[in-house]
Amino acid sequence: MPRARAKIRVADDRKTATIELKPLGQPGHLVDLTLNELDQLIDKLGNARSQMVKGHPIPPFERDEPPISVAANTKWTIRASPPEGVLFGFYHPKFGPVGLTLPKEEIVSIVGFLTNRFILQPAASPEKH
């Protein structure tokens, strides 16, 4: 399979994105996508990626690897489905709506961590000048 380069340009009116796929040494192919079509492509690429990584170990997150794509100040939702666990979903500016399911044991661990870190620890006292 030939290696290829991809370029993506968002139109000035932000209504379409043009993707150019160019196999090395060959002419490029341009495709214009609307936001909805781009979301569908991202979904299909995600499905392909999930098939490719199946059976590979998940990299450790305790270190600084791999880089995490952070979504700050976003909309989110939590949907409980006892006794299985919970769905945590949020809007990621790069990927659209994404989510993860967490089993009950992980929820207990997360709640314990957040309680210890933000509720049980005394707040820092203001410095006196």
Side-chain angles (χ1 to χ4, degrees):
M1 175 181 263
R3 296 183 57 100
R5 292 185 185 207
K7 291 183 184 178
I8 301 172
R9 180 180 135 349
V10 176
D12 291 339
D13 65 3
R14 297 185 308 200
K15 292 187 179 184
T16 59
T18 301
I19 299 175
E20 178 183 17
L21 296 176
K22 185 175 181 180
L24 296 181
Q26 297 181 28
H29 303 280
L30 300 175
V31 177
D32 291 328
L33 300 173
T34 65
L35 179 59
N36 186 47
E37 292 167 333
L38 186 61
D39 283 343
Q40 291 174 22
L41 177 60
I42 291 169
D43 182 60
K44 289 179 182 186
L45 289 170
N47 289 339
R49 185 182 191 288
S50 70
Q51 290 177 29
M52 294 173 76
V53 300
K54 205 172 274 181
H56 292 258
I58 296 174
F61 280 88
E62 293 78 20
R63 302 183 318 226
D64 290 337
E65 298 177 31
I68 296 173
S69 182
V70 176
N73 302 319
T74 185
K75 300 266 186 193
W76 57 272
T77 184
I78 295 178
R79 298 180 189 158
S81 55
E84 295 86 18
V86 68
L87 166 69
F88 176 68
F90 60 97
Y91 184 84
H92 195 293
K94 287 185 180 179
F95 308 114
V98 294
L100 64 137
T101 57
L102 298 168
K104 183 178 177 181
E105 301 77 33
E106 289 184 33
I107 298 299
V108 170
S109 175
I110 291 169
V111 169
F113 170 81
L114 294 173
T115 300
N116 288 331
R117 179 71 173 94
F118 294 102
I119 296 174
L120 297 179
Q121 286 187 358
S125 59
E127 294 181 358
K128 295 184 180 179
H129 297 287

